[in-house]
Structure formats: C-alpha cells, structure tokens
Amino acid sequence: MLPQEIIRRKRNKETLSEAEIREFIAGIGNHTVDDTQVAAMTMAIFLNGLDRRETIDLTLAMRDSGEVMHWADFDKPIVDKHSSGGVGDKVSLMLAPLLAACDVYVPMIAGRGLGHTGGTVDKLEAIPGYNTQADNTMFRCTVKEVGCAIIGQTGNLAPADKKIYAIRDVCGTVESIPLITASILSKKLAAGLEYLVMDLKCGNGAFMQNFADAKTLAQSIIEVANGAGTRTGAIITDMNQVLGTTAGNAVEVNEALEYLQNKNINPRLDAVTKALCAELLVACGHCADKDAAARLIDTVLTSGKALEKFAQMVAALGGPTDFVEHSSRYLPQAAHTKPIYAEKSGYVSAMDARAVGLSIIELGGGRSIPTQKLDLATGYTNFAQIGDYVDASAPLALVHYQDEAQFARAQKYLLEAIKISDTPVEKNNPIILTLA
Ligand code: URA
C-alpha cells in the first residue's frame, strides 16, 4: 500500500494491520517513505493513538529494522534500565557502572535529548574521544571486559527508531504513549536484554505530567516488553524538579563522576539510582531481596569499584585513560559562570522543570533542529532543590554560559520557573510507585 494511504487510514482513526505497520517501517529503511511522511504518521498516531496490538506490531517492526543482538555466550544476567526522559537525569551514568561492579552485564543503548529532556548520549559526548557510535564488536567487547557499555543507536540497532525519534523531537509528537513505548522498547529489545527496569518520570518535567498517564505508560511498556520476552518492571519517579544539582551535558557528567567518587551525593539522585539498581538485581536473581541488593550497591559504591568500572568503560570506548583523575582537563568549560539569585529570600516551593529543560536548549545544550551541533559546556550547577532556602548568598543555580544574551534568557526562565515561599517546604521522596 502507498505510504500516504497508510497515513490516511490512521488519520481517519482506523486500525492498522501488522502488514501495513511493517511496510511503513520497512519503507523508512529502504527510502520509499520519506521524512515528511514519517512526521505526518507520528502526528496521526499522536492524535489518534494505537491499540495494544498495533503498539506491539510497531515495536517489533522497529526492533527488526536493524540487527537484534544475542548474548548467549555471556554467563551473567543481561540487564538494563531506561528512563522515559527528564531534566538533570544522569542516572544511567552511575547505574551502569554500579551494576557492572555488582557483577551483572549492562549493554545500554541510550538516546539523545528529546524535546525539553536531556539525553545520555549527548552527555557522554562531552568526554573527548568517547565513541557513542561504537560498532557491535566494540560494544560487545566492552560489555564482556568491563561489564557495562553505554552507546547510542548505531546505524544497525533499531534504525527506524533513530529516524522517527529525531523527527518527533522537532515535530511536537513526543508525548504519545504508543510512540514512547515503541521507541524505548525497539531499542531495548534490539539490545537483547533479559531484564529491564523503566524509570517512568512523572511531573512537569516529564512527558507524562500526571500520575495516571505515567502509570498507563508504565503498564504499556511492561505488557509489551514482557510479551516480547524481556522481563520488565517500572518505578514511577518524581520529575517536578531537576534531578540532582546539575542540568546540561558536561556538568551532568561531572556530577555523576563526583557521585561515583562518593563526594557530592544528592539524596534524590541517590534514591532513584539505587532503587532502580536494586530492582534489577532482585529481578534477575542476583540478589535475594532489596536489602541484600542495597548492601551490595553500597559496597561497590563506597569501595570505588563502580568508579573503576566507569573509568574502564570510558577508556574502552575511546575516551581518555585518565578521565576520572583529570576530568576537569577534559570536560568542555563554558566561557562564563554566574549565579542567578531569587528575587526574594525564602524556600524553593515549586519548579517548572520543563521550563528549565527549555532554557538548556536556549543555552545551546539541546536541539531546536535535528542536525544542530550542541554546546556541551553550557548548563547549570548548584541547582537549588525544592525545600532549600535561597537568599542573596544562596543562589537558585549557577549558569554556565557563553555570552550575556544567553545569561539574560536563562535568568528570565529560572526566575519564572522557580517559586519561593516564606514558610519551610518539605522535601519529597522521589520514588512514587514500583510496578512489576
Ligand atoms: N526515550 C526514548 O527512547 N523514546 C521516547 O520516545 C521517549 C524517551
């Protein structure tokens, strides 16, 4: 069938057959479907949805658009986590080495920034030489030797998702449950995982802004993934504020590094990272229960074993062999840093995390067109958390920027995005619900 006819059927709220879905996705690979048609189809799906069967068919067609990896010759569980996307979410950078240090394998296929959210691949590209496009041989060797490897989608792994993802990013078709399900799972199923945990972000900085939508997306992902043979659970976590104290690219790599070095551990980031690690260690049978998992995670973190795994992964994937020791020599630095102060002193009571994400795009740290080259040095550090007291000496954040026009825009965003209360505000637990 002609691609425009398939689009037309979805536009008219009809149910697509498996053959139509497969034909459309195959057309992306063999260039009989072009970018304008992909954009139109994602908008039709965004507006009219897909039922569960169509979502499964789309996921599997996208998975099969490239190579599907197998790990039969690996003797430990093959595990991974994926986040539905947030602001300041650098969990993968810590979780992968932590789990490798616990002695399970983590072959992680991560994404670039999407919409207002940051992407792990963009963050890792702040490390000079780090090859986020490693081929499958390099990827496998790194997982075998180190225990973990985080790379982006190479041309060969779910290439249809790579194309659709880049188009959704700039066409306003991100926040769709079937599209997010198929996007995440096509990559994860192509990576041949045995166990997956989803970090389902919920709040104003997430694609799912309310609990009901986050739960529906979690259930969609759990059902589709388990049906395809990858045992999957999900934790719904709070995304109503920046996760951790940094947001950007290089600045987030630095926060992850400091976490693994046992300095500057942000309690919310720590809770989310450890909960996801524990979930996987129990699901794959490596630990008997969550307490045993928590003890193991603490041991590999405090002993420095997880930091060692991070250093080994960076070196194996082409980054500097002394990155951990001399990260400040390697990570790009913005021309200027300056604090932004609140207009009155008081307690941070609310934050529009999406606006913070958009301000990072304005700083050049995220994309407004698919081919945009990012400025990996810009972003925020020392980001205040809900419940923190801010005043003339305690800023809302420190901006890393290149010119004064950028600073002025960032300041405007943050002053509008962050609310201040005269009375103390309680800090919340970022873990909302665990679903298996
Ligand atoms: N992460 C993905 O990989 N895809 C989405 O659509 C959203 C988050």
Side-chain angles (χ1 to χ4, degrees), residues 278-294:
E279 193 63 28
L280 278 170
L281 290 172
V282 175
C284 76
H286 196 70
C287 292
D289 54 38
K290 296 254 175 82
D291 288 341

Side-chain angles (χ1 to χ4, degrees), residues 351-364:
M351 192 183 295
D352 179 350
R354 183 168 188 277
V356 176
L358 292 176
S359 78
I360 294 169
I361 299 179
E362 295 265 10
L363 283 166

Side-chain angles (χ1 to χ4, degrees), residues 82-85 114 161 165 168 174 179-180 183-184 187 207:
H82 196 81
S83 159
S84 59
L114 185 64
D161 173 61
Y165 190 98
R168 285 170 58 217
V174 172
L179 289 177
I180 297 176
S183 167
I184 290 174
K187 291 189 271 286
F207 297 127

Side-chain angles (χ1 to χ4, degrees), residues 134-147:
D135 63 22
N136 285 356
T137 309
M138 191 183 202
F139 185 48
R140 283 186 89 81
C141 283
T142 308
V143 175
K144 184 98 194 173
E145 278 161 27
V146 179

Side-chain angles (χ1 to χ4, degrees), residues 11-171:
R11 185 203 67 189
N12 292 346
K13 301 191 170 65
E14 291 172 44
T15 305
L16 302 180
S17 69
E18 183 190 356
E20 285 169 326
I21 291 172
R22 284 217 167 248
E23 200 178 323
F24 192 88
I25 297 301
I28 297 175
N30 64 29
H31 307 292
T32 54
V33 170
D34 87 358
D35 292 2
T36 57
Q37 292 169 316
V38 173
M41 179 58 115
T42 60
M43 186 57 84
I45 294 175
F46 181 93
L47 294 172
N48 297 331
L50 295 178
D51 67 20
R52 188 68 87 233
R53 202 265 309 141
E54 289 174 294
T55 308
I56 292 172
D57 290 341
L58 178 64
T59 306
L60 298 181
M62 284 164 62
R63 175 198 67 184
D64 297 339
S65 63
E67 189 182 334
V68 177
M69 298 191 79
H70 298 283
W71 305 88
D73 50 330
F74 282 60
D75 57 352
K76 312 252 168 47
I78 308 290
V79 309
D80 194 8
K81 82 99 203 176
H82 196 81
S83 159
S84 59
V87 181
D89 180 4
K90 69 279 296 169
V91 168
S92 294
L93 302 177
M94 290 118 51
L95 171 138
L98 278 167
L99 288 170
C102 292
D103 222 10
V104 294
Y105 291 119
V106 191
M108 186 180 287
I109 307 292
R112 293 195 181 276
L114 185 64
H116 65 280
T117 68
T120 302
V121 170
D122 295 328
K123 292 167 201 178
L124 283 169
E125 287 183 352
I127 303 175
Y130 189 107
N131 184 2
T132 60
Q133 301 304 304
D135 63 22
N136 285 356
T137 309
M138 191 183 202
F139 185 48
R140 283 186 89 81
C141 283
T142 308
V143 175
K144 184 98 194 173
E145 278 161 27
V146 179
C148 61
I150 311 176
I151 63 163
Q153 276 165 282
T154 56
N156 231 3
L157 275 173
D161 173 61
K162 197 173 179 184
K163 167 67 80 180
I164 297 169
Y165 190 98
I167 291 174
R168 285 170 58 217
D169 186 23
V170 291
C171 287

